[in-house]
Amino acid sequence: MHLSEVTWTDAADAETDLALLPVGSTEQHGPHAPLGTDVETAKAVAEAASEAYDGEAVVAPAIPVSIAEEHRHFSGTLWVSPDTFRSYVRETVASLAFHGWDRVILVNGHGGNVPALGEVCATISRHDAANALAYTWFEGVGDHRSDMGHGGPLETALLRWIDPDLVREDRIEEAREGAAERWGEWVSRVNLAVDSAEFTENGVVGDPGEESGERGEELLALASAALVELMEVVEGRDFTPLERR
């Protein structure tokens, strides 16, 4: 059930306490991929998992603006502070819980959100009338994970599968030529770079490639299957708070 597509009476009839909340970002993904890449990929994984899940789950509207100041030098990038992001996520989860959907999985498509999502999910689960967990889709794709860049092979492949018109194929060579090989500038396992413009000319990290959407199909299948497994565990898990020892 997608909340943005149903009426309130439909929502009231939902017989589940499980909700998926896609979380993305509006930020540069090179000259070939849209600013909404992280939103579109998170939504696609959440939707695929909800369809594959042998049960009922509510899919909330995606959060499109998050922690992305590291991409501020590239036009169109939007961002909020970590404090604002955590507050928005927490209050959104609280509103889901008010309606009975108090087991919430945040389906994340942006690496920059990971630390803040971990923090806010812990806060929610400790102090609020809900339990929240964060799942980042590109962590659930097996060996493909090692190819994750930014606007690189994984994100571009998934876009090619879910909506090929979003990829500007005529700009792939431009994306490749201005790309960095890896994220950041590392010395002694410390990243010296604060912003992505310090190490990538056009915002891309990794080679977006010219393959068909076949890899994207596999990525979606792997990411959604891992999410379904998590949904099954979350639905059946006892979240009773522990007593002080």
Side-chain angles (χ1 to χ4, degrees):
M1 174 183 290
H2 297 266
L3 287 184
S4 61
E5 299 174 1
V6 301
T7 69
W8 76 264
T9 54
D10 297 327
D13 290 337
E15 297 182 356
T16 183
D17 57 4
L18 181 61
L20 303 180
L21 176 57
V23 183
S25 181
T26 300
E27 63 180 45
Q28 69 83 16
H29 277 79
H32 67 297
L35 293 161
T37 291
D38 292 345
V39 181
E40 297 304 320
T41 54
K43 285 167 53 180
V45 172
E47 291 168 1
S50 70
E51 292 174 3
Y53 181 57
D54 186 19
E56 187 175 6
V58 165
V59 181
I63 296 176
V65 178
S66 59
I67 301 170
E69 191 173 7
E70 67 271 22
H71 298 293
R72 62 198 170 95
H73 298 93
F74 297 93
S75 296
T77 296
L78 307 178
W79 66 90
V80 295
S81 71
D83 285 345
T84 297
F85 176 69
R86 285 192 296 264
S87 294
Y88 192 91
V89 168
R90 187 177 183 182
E91 292 178 24
T92 301
V93 171
S95 65
L96 289 167
F98 180 83
H99 298 296
W101 308 309
D102 57 3
R103 297 174 182 236
V104 182
I105 300 174
L106 293 108
V107 184
N108 178 46
H110 173 45
N113 291 339
V114 170
L117 284 175
E119 293 166 6
V120 72
C121 285
T123 298
I124 291 167
S125 297
R126 286 173 177 147
H127 302 292
D128 298 347
N131 291 281
L133 296 161
Y135 169 77
T136 299
W137 73 261
F138 45 82
E139 294 295 329
V141 294
D143 293 340
H144 292 284
R145 182 174 56 183
S146 62
D147 284 341
M148 185 60 185
H150 187 76
L154 297 196
E155 290 179 305
T156 306
L158 184 51
L159 285 175
R160 285 188 174 111
W161 176 248
I162 63 176
D163 191 346
D165 290 339
L166 291 177
V167 180
R168 283 67 169 176
E169 296 290 354
D170 59 334
R171 302 178 188 172
I172 291 297
E173 190 58 38
E174 177 186 354
R176 179 183 288 118
E177 290 177 355
E181 293 184 1
R182 63 181 299 195
W183 182 274
E185 181 183 348
W186 296 85
V187 177
S188 300
R189 301 183 68 84
V190 174
N191 185 9
L192 305 182
V194 174
D195 295 317
S196 60
E198 296 180 57
F199 54 85
T200 172
E201 179 183 335
N202 62 7
V204 178
V205 177
D207 188 343
E210 296 178 343
E211 61 196 75
S212 69
E214 291 181 2
R215 189 182 194 187
E217 181 181 12
E218 182 178 0
L219 291 171
L220 184 60
L222 289 169
S224 59
L227 179 53
V228 167
E229 181 180 3
L230 179 60
M231 293 166 70
E232 292 170 346
V233 172
V234 168
E235 185 178 49
R237 190 175 189 272
D238 180 7
F239 283 108
T240 304
L242 299 175
E243 296 293 332
R244 183 173 62 85
R245 297 176 183 176

